[in-house]
Amino acid sequence: MGRRLVPLTLDNLQDLPQRCRGCVFWELDPFSGETALKEGKAEVEKESWISAVLLDWGSCGRLVYVDDVPAGYVLYAPPAYVPRATAFPTSPVSPDAVQLITAFVLPEYQGQGLGRVLVQTVAKDLLRRGFKAVEAFGDASWKEPACLLPADHLLAVGFKTVRSHPTYPRLRLELRSTLSWKEDVEMALDRLLGAVQKEPALRPL
C-alpha cells in the first residue's frame, strides 16, 4: 500500500471528498455561508477561500492518498482566516495558535494510521513556521458527524480545554507534545478521524 501526503492546492482541490468541496461552514460567516449555499456558489467560495489563504499565509491543508486514491484530508489556518470561529461563544482562538478547522478520513481507509499521519504532518509544518499550538472548537454534545470534531475525542488525543462551555469548548494542543506521541495517543487519533465517516445531519464536514 503506497501512501502519499501532499499540500492542499487549487490543483488538487477536486480531490476533497465530494461533500466537503461545497462546504463553507468555516470559510464564511453564517449569513454569507447560507447565502452562498442558496445561490449555488459554495464551491466557488470554497475555492476563493483556499486561494486567498494560500496567497496570504501559505499551506493550509494536507491531502493523503493511498495507492493514488484520495483517502482523507485536514484543513487548518490562523483564526483571522476563519470567519465562522467568531460565532462561537468560546472564541477567540489564542493569538499564538492556528485553528484546526476540520479533518476527515474516508471510511474505507479508517484504522490505517492516516489520522495520525495527517495531524503529525500539520504539527511539523506549523512548528517549522514558528507556531506553538493548535486550537479547535469541540462539540461536547456530539452525536453524529458534522463540521465540528467531538470534544471527547480531541481530549483523548492530547488537547486540553482552555475555555469551558457546555456545548462548544475551545481546546488546545501544544505542538511540541505531538513529536513524542505514544502508541495509545496515535490510536486515539485514528479513532478521532475515523469517527467522522457518516453523512452529517445538517451540513457536510
Side-chain angles (χ1 to χ4, degrees), residues 2 31 34 48 70 87-88 151 156 167 183 198:
F31 176 78
E34 290 299 325
S48 296
F88 284 84
T167 307
E183 184 177 355
K198 299 177 183 177

Side-chain angles (χ1 to χ4, degrees), residues 144-146 199-203:
E144 54 190 355
E199 288 295 332
L202 300 177
R203 187 186 299 277

Side-chain angles (χ1 to χ4, degrees), residues 25-26 75 77-80 82-94 97-103 134-142 146-155 159-165 167-173 192 205:
F25 178 86
W26 290 108
L75 197 64
V82 192
R84 174 72 69 154
T86 61
F88 284 84
T90 49
S91 65
V93 169
S94 302
V98 170
Q99 185 177 342
L100 174 63
I101 299 174
T102 193
V134 171
E135 293 188 2
F137 296 102
D139 184 352
S141 57
W142 188 92
C147 294
L148 274 75
L149 295 171
D152 58 345
H153 283 281
L154 290 168
L155 290 168
F159 279 77
K160 306 294 183 184
T161 302
V162 291
R163 189 170 178 188
S164 299
H165 188 269
T167 307
Y168 301 120
R170 177 161 51 87
L171 304 104
R172 178 180 175 97
L173 177 68
L192 164 64
L205 178 68

Side-chain angles (χ1 to χ4, degrees), residues 7-199:
L8 177 65
T9 68
L10 295 180
D11 294 330
N12 57 27
L13 185 58
Q14 73 278 359
D15 288 341
L16 288 179
Q18 179 63 45
R19 58 185 171 183
C20 300
R21 293 178 211 167
C23 176
V24 288
F25 178 86
W26 290 108
E27 292 84 352
L28 298 175
D29 64 81
F31 176 78
S32 299
E34 290 299 325
T35 301
L37 289 171
K38 290 177 182 177
E39 296 179 355
K41 298 179 179 179
E43 288 196 24
V44 173
E45 293 287 354
K46 181 98 167 187
E47 183 174 339
S48 296
W49 184 88
I50 296 288
S51 178
V53 178
L54 287 171
L55 286 171
D56 293 345
W57 184 67
S59 182
C60 59
R62 289 290 187 274
L63 280 162
V64 62
Y65 297 82
V66 176
D67 295 331
D68 293 325
V69 177
Y73 81 104
V74 62
L75 197 64
Y76 55 98
Y81 294 95
V82 192
R84 174 72 69 154
T86 61
F88 284 84
T90 49
S91 65
V93 169
S94 302
D96 65 344
V98 170
Q99 185 177 342
L100 174 63
I101 299 174
T102 193
F104 185 81
V105 172
L106 293 173
E108 56 266 37
Y109 297 102
Q110 180 183 349
Q112 299 180 16
L114 299 183
R116 169 178 53 83
V117 172
L118 282 168
V119 177
Q120 284 187 325
T121 300
V122 171
K124 290 176 182 177
D125 174 44
L126 294 177
L127 275 171
R128 179 173 49 81
R129 294 159 73 173
F131 292 95
K132 296 181 179 180
V134 171
E135 293 188 2
F137 296 102
D139 184 352
S141 57
W142 188 92
K143 293 183 175 61
E144 54 190 355
C147 294
L148 274 75
L149 295 171
D152 58 345
H153 283 281
L154 290 168
L155 290 168
V157 301
F159 279 77
K160 306 294 183 184
T161 302
V162 291
R163 189 170 178 188
S164 299
H165 188 269
T167 307
Y168 301 120
R170 177 161 51 87
L171 304 104
R172 178 180 175 97
L173 177 68
E174 300 296 334
L175 290 173
R176 293 198 177 277
S177 69
T178 65
L179 301 182
S180 58
W181 275 332
K182 296 182 179 179
E183 184 177 355
D184 57 340
V185 178
E186 294 175 350
M187 291 176 63
L189 272 169
D190 291 339
R191 290 197 299 272
L192 164 64
L193 297 182
V196 188
Q197 58 178 294
K198 299 177 183 177
E199 288 295 332

